[in-house]
Amino acid sequence: MAQHAPPARGARLGRAAGARTGSGPTESPVNGVVLLLPGASRFSPGPLRPLARALARAGGTDGLVAHAVIHGGESAREEQARWAADEVVRRYGDVPVCLAGYDAGGLAALRAAGHGAVNSVLALAPCLAEGVPADSPEPVKQLSGRQVLIVHGTNDARSDPEISFRLAERAKKANRSTCRFEVHSDGHGLREHQAEVVALGVDFVLGAVFSGRYSRPVTDALAAPPPLGLRMPLASGFGRSLRG
């Protein structure tokens, strides 16, 4: 078990949502935790808030807890994500952790995936560094052994979706359990198809943290060779018959 570390220069966990925790008679065991890593701007929260609510509804009875990682101070976001994973271990013990991030939080989730408690990563419109020299690309070794899903809008004008595709290509070579969905005509905030993005995120997180079972589109994306499983279109209406 990781030792309790002091907050990474201001980071803290938001209020738990999902399984009931505490010391009363309604307490439920915590069997998995999702850490929600927000983007760089509080004015563009992306789909994390509705995702948190949907995860609490869908996974709370199974012992899923969601915490927002409240960014503070000057330390790197991935450092704060690692601190948050340490804090989960301190509070809840040896439970699987999913890092779910949007924008800069998506990049932090990918970079912090090597933490021993993390079993899965959900990166929504991750802001990946542009202009990185070809001989020093964004690392992917830390993703080995994790379930990884990247979701990106094809009309994202802030974070080039082709960069996340190239990252996914390299990640797939190091880790077969990597897939990527494209949200056609959607932008950086993933607003046009938010319901489908949230449903996809819930399906992935519940499968990764608990059962290992996913809806057919996610199963197909994980099994398909590149580029098919890395350019999987997110179908309109996804989620209406999940696990049906």
Side-chain angles (χ1 to χ4, degrees):
M1 179 181 294
Q3 294 182 344
H4 176 45
R9 298 183 187 176
R12 60 187 177 90
L13 294 188
R15 183 177 179 181
R20 290 187 291 269
T21 60
S23 57
T26 60
E27 179 182 2
S28 300
V30 174
N31 298 315
V33 175
V34 183
L35 291 174
L36 301 156
L37 310 174
S41 172
R42 62 187 177 90
F43 300 107
S44 180
L48 284 191
R49 290 177 184 171
L51 176 63
R53 292 192 294 267
L55 285 169
R57 289 193 301 268
T61 57
D62 292 322
L64 185 70
V65 164
H67 282 282
V69 179
I70 300 173
H71 180 73
E74 299 178 354
S75 57
R77 287 177 180 269
E78 59 264 31
E79 179 184 338
Q80 298 193 1
R82 294 185 190 100
W83 168 82
D86 282 343
E87 182 65 8
V88 165
V89 173
R90 187 188 73 83
R91 293 189 187 186
Y92 303 118
D94 185 17
V95 297
V97 174
C98 175
L99 299 179
Y102 163 72
D103 183 74
L107 176 58
L110 291 165
R111 287 180 171 177
H115 189 284
V118 173
N119 88 326
S120 50
V121 174
L122 171 61
L124 304 170
C127 275
L128 302 170
E130 298 192 38
V132 175
D135 59 350
S136 61
E138 190 66 36
V140 296
K141 185 178 179 180
Q142 75 281 3
L143 299 174
S144 180
R146 278 65 177 163
Q147 303 291 306
V148 180
L149 169 61
I150 298 171
V151 182
H152 220 134
T154 58
N155 288 0
D156 191 333
R158 178 173 178 181
S159 177
D160 187 349
E162 286 305 302
I163 295 179
S164 79
F165 171 74
R166 292 197 292 272
L167 173 78
E169 274 190 314
R170 292 189 297 105
K172 188 76 171 179
K173 294 177 181 178
N175 176 19
R176 294 183 63 185
S177 298
T178 298
C179 64
R180 178 179 172 274
F181 276 71
E182 294 186 334
V183 190
H184 288 287
S185 78
D186 220 335
H188 186 64
L190 298 170
R191 296 187 186 92
E192 294 299 319
H193 301 284
Q194 185 179 91
E196 288 88 347
V197 170
V198 167
L200 176 65
V202 170
D203 181 74
F204 173 77
V205 170
L206 294 184
V209 171
F210 292 134
S211 68
R213 298 189 302 273
Y214 305 100
S215 63
R216 182 62 181 270
V218 176
T219 299
D220 289 349
L222 287 168
L228 297 177
L230 305 179
R231 291 196 184 277
M232 188 67 70
L234 181 58
S236 178
F238 180 92
R240 293 174 186 167
S241 59
L242 271 183
R243 303 176 190 272

